Amino acid sequence: MTAAELWPYAVILFAGWFATDLWRWLGVIAGNRLAEGSETLNWVRAVATALVMAVTAKLIVFPTGSLAESPLWLRLAAAGLGFVAFLVTGQRVIVGVVVSLALLSLGLAVL
């Protein structure tokens, strides 16, 4: 490939990096000025948590790829039992994730 052919890829890489990194650095700068228990920081945490849960729910209800071949009841059961394990073990995230993945893997292997 010549330099002229690689130019569009370089622009895409730079634009993708700049678009995400700019907001990360602005978040770091703004975050350093917020008090630990402030309402603004609580709101930011709530929005971040809501976004993560929305993506998780989308993956469970409307999966893509090989996960789409699994039945909905299996995905819901794995997520639900993983959440129960998370609560029972004192809210340890790794336990909830491992239990959910193990149950989903086991269910897919059995089916």
Side-chain angles (χ1 to χ4, degrees):
M1 289 190 138
T2 65
E5 292 173 333
L6 292 176
W7 178 247
Y9 296 108
V11 170
I12 290 169
L13 284 173
F14 176 75
W17 165 80
F18 185 71
T20 58
D21 233 29
L22 173 69
W23 293 108
R24 288 180 186 165
W25 282 108
L26 287 174
V28 167
I29 291 168
N32 286 335
R33 297 171 191 236
L34 294 174
E36 183 66 31
S38 71
E39 284 299 314
T40 304
L41 194 56
N42 287 338
W43 179 81
V44 169
R45 286 183 184 140
V47 169
T49 303
L51 287 171
V52 169
M53 289 313 303
V55 170
T56 303
K58 184 178 183 285
L59 285 171
I60 292 170
V61 178
F62 303 111
T64 59
S66 61
L67 191 58
E69 298 170 11
S70 65
L72 177 62
W73 65 266
L74 178 61
R75 297 188 305 265
L76 289 172
L81 291 173
F83 183 66
V84 169
F86 164 77
L87 293 176
V88 168
T89 59
Q91 297 185 356
R92 293 191 178 154
V93 175
I94 190 69
V95 173
V97 171
V98 169
V99 168
S100 293
L101 286 174
L103 290 171
L104 186 62
S105 299
L106 182 65
L108 289 173
V110 170
L111 294 177

